[in-house]
Amino acid sequence: MTAPQNDLVCRRLVGRTAVITGAGSGIGLATARRLASEGAHVVCGDIDETAGKAAAEAVGGTFVQVDVTDAEQVEALFKTAFDTYGSVDIAFNNAGISPTDDDSILTTGLDAWKRVQEVNLTSVYLCCKAAIPYMRRQGRGSIINTASFVARMGAATSQISYTASKGGVLAMSRELGVQFAREGIRVNALCPGPVNTPLLRELFAKDPERAARRLVHIPVGRFADAQEIAAAVAFLASDDASFVNATDFLVDGGIAGAYVTPV
Ligand SMILES: NC(=O)c1ccc[n+]([C@@H]2O[C@H](COP(=O)([O-])OP(=O)(O)OC[C@H]3O[C@@H](n4cnc5c(N)ncnc54)[C@H](O)[C@@H]3O)[C@@H](O)[C@H]2O)c1
């Protein structure tokens, strides 16, 4: 079963400014394309200059090189968005890592633990801290923080710091969504299921058993396409989601709801 091709053209984000971290690849890149196609000005933040520039060029947006663990660089990212386009309406705080030395708690060292916490969790704190003052002044904003379905479910194939970092993203997003709701700011955590990225394809092509072990738990029987995650971000970013706030927004093909899946 393949993902449906959606040719619908929505223009829900005309005149809005969106900042996307990790825009150079995967979910971030697909979302940059989707938000631009809906009319948003897109500011592409990434640590990878080549990939980030290419993304910005592809969507007619602006590239800002940023290490999302650095407070000053994150502030500069959101300032560039405001100075260039006059508002900060959408923050998709999405950059994240999943390194191989983050594994079982029995083998994961403190260095790997801390690095993952910095890139996946501290970065979201910094991005929200930088974005919210602009949104408060406007009386409007939508923040979407990328967590993961693994923040909601236990895995015997552990990546302990990754899972804990994403759990932190859920709790922080919920709290911010509640705190700033009456100022017109919505904050949601996005929980994608496994996405069919080049990295994942390569990993699973080398190791079909590893792929099969995961696929059996997915009711729809396949991994997500990045465009399917981008479509959910576009919804959360838009006024169509005006009453969707402080959620753990699952886009997981039914994984979190499943006990026995179809054969
Ligand atoms: N791919 C999946 O199956 C999946 C599932 C659930 C959640 N997620 C989450 O979605 C997000 C995006 O994942 P992806 O699969 O698109 O990843 P990806 O590796 O394809 O893209 C991540 C991007 O983030 C950038 N980046 C990494 N560290 C950075 C830093 N310190 N500062 C700025 N940019 C940095 C990278 O250069 C890259 O362009 C991550 O938070 C990930 O944890 C992914």
Side-chain angles (χ1 to χ4, degrees):
M1 193 181 144
T2 55
Q5 296 305 306
N6 189 348
D7 296 328
L8 264 182
V9 181
C10 298
R11 298 285 290 170
R12 295 175 292 189
L13 305 174
V14 174
R16 307 277 169 96
T17 304
V19 175
I20 301 177
T21 66
S25 173
I27 295 170
L29 178 58
T31 303
R33 290 185 195 281
R34 176 66 190 244
L35 300 194
S37 83
E38 294 222 19
H41 304 295
V42 178
V43 177
C44 296
D46 207 291
I47 201 167
D48 181 332
E49 187 178 5
T50 310
K53 262 190 186 158
E57 264 168 37
V59 303
T62 299
F63 170 63
V64 178
Q65 189 169 23
V66 62
D67 177 347
V68 289
T69 67
D70 183 302
E72 280 177 20
Q73 291 183 31
V74 168
E75 276 163 30
L77 169 68
F78 285 92
K79 186 171 184 315
T80 301
F82 183 79
D83 291 349
T84 310
Y85 300 114
S87 64
V88 176
D89 305 294
I90 299 154
F92 181 38
N93 303 321
N94 162 76
I97 55 170
S98 162
T100 49
D101 57 352
D102 176 23
D103 201 271
S104 161
I105 195 167
L106 301 174
T107 52
T108 301
L110 196 54
D111 282 355
W113 167 271
K114 284 185 175 167
R115 193 166 71 255
V116 171
Q117 294 296 317
E118 283 280 300
V119 180
N120 291 6
L121 179 58
T122 306
S123 68
V124 174
Y125 152 77
L126 291 174
C127 288
C128 290
K129 196 174 171 69
I132 286 170
Y134 293 104
M135 294 178 172
R136 289 185 77 198
R137 283 197 289 274
Q138 295 161 190
R140 178 176 88 181
S142 172
I143 296 178
I144 301 113
N145 296 323
T146 305
S148 168
F149 73 109
V150 301
R152 294 272 307 258
M153 307 181 71
T157 50
S158 182
Q159 289 188 285
I160 193 63
S161 186
Y162 182 91
T163 298
S165 72
K166 297 301 190 180
V169 171
L170 291 191
M172 179 166 31
S173 305
R174 185 182 311 123
E175 187 131 305
L176 296 176
V178 171
Q179 183 179 354
F180 295 104
R182 294 190 188 182
E183 297 188 62
I185 303 170
R186 294 181 293 106
V187 185
N188 289 288
L190 178 78
C191 296
V195 180
N196 199 359
T197 55
L199 199 78
L200 193 103
R201 271 201 298 277
E202 193 188 323
L203 190 73
F204 291 155
K206 273 193 224 144
D207 191 347
E209 212 179 298
R210 195 179 171 132
R213 186 162 181 200
R214 286 158 177 79
L215 279 167
V216 73
H217 294 288
I218 309 178
V220 300
R222 63 173 176 82
F223 299 122
D225 274 355
Q227 290 93 320
E228 295 177 292
I229 309 302
V233 180
F235 166 68
L236 290 171
S238 79
D239 293 343
D240 279 348
S242 54
F243 211 62
V244 183
N245 183 35
T247 64
D248 305 350
F249 200 87
L250 275 166
V251 188
D252 71 345
I255 299 172
Y259 172 32
V260 178
T261 58
V263 283

